[in-house]
Amino acid sequence: MKKIFGFVCICLLGLSIGCKKKEASLEELNEVNDKIIAFFTGNLSQYENYSFNYVDETNHKVVVGLLENTSEWQEKFLELVVRSPYIEFVKGEALKDEKDFKKSAEEIEKCLENQISAYLTTEIILPTEKNLNELISVNLDKVLYSKIKVNSLGAIFVILKTEDERVITSLDDYFKKNYPKHKKEIFDEAYYIYLASGYDSFDLKEDLKVCH
């Protein structure tokens, strides 16, 4: 009887361990998110219940907003667009006209961060954040937004939104001095992107298109 009880306990323990869900990587989340964006870029009329989608890096989910967030509409989305265990459905709002298709500043900034973080992140390497005043020593009162991350291999990115030329010039000088092979892009005529990733070749502009 003791042997049987022990065997049952081991089996239950094995099932419990085996059923533990694997946490999604940022690369897997971005892949699902990109498929959703690609579908609705040209097929919005095929699924009129759609509102928005974005990567929730903190909770390791791809959040999808539905106008009617019912099980029937969720299943239709999974069948028509993409099926993934990483999707989390939430209640969305109706888009009233064409301008509503544009992302808000907060959504753009989150998208930019997620896209560029992929250059610095692996399963064993996680970036940490820095403040802008750690890189440059000019007045930052006119900086509307900044996000800086670095990793243990020396890779770094900066996302900056400002109209202060002194800040931009100072950051240009910083990267020229410390990261001669960095790349710089201007996104949506508002955000300045600096990236030194250690990769020999990459198309940063192409990777950021999904954030428009």
Side-chain angles (χ1 to χ4, degrees), residues 133-167:
N133 58 16
E134 295 179 68
L135 306 187
I136 57 177
S137 55
V138 295
N139 191 302
L140 304 177
D141 289 346
K142 294 184 179 180
V143 173
L144 302 176
Y145 174 83
S146 68
K147 175 68 70 173
I148 304 167
K149 287 188 178 182
V150 299
N151 69 15
S152 58
L153 299 179
I156 181 173
F157 77 73
V158 175
I159 305 171
L160 175 71
K161 186 178 184 180
T162 184
E163 294 181 357
D164 192 334
E165 290 295 334
R166 295 171 302 169
V167 176

Side-chain angles (χ1 to χ4, degrees), residues 4 12 35 37 42-43 64 90 99 130 132 154-156 158 179 201:
I4 294 174
L12 290 174
K35 287 180 179 179
I37 293 171
N43 303 283
V64 175
V90 298
K99 70 177 187 299
K130 276 183 173 288
L132 189 57
I156 181 173
V158 175
Y179 304 94
S201 62

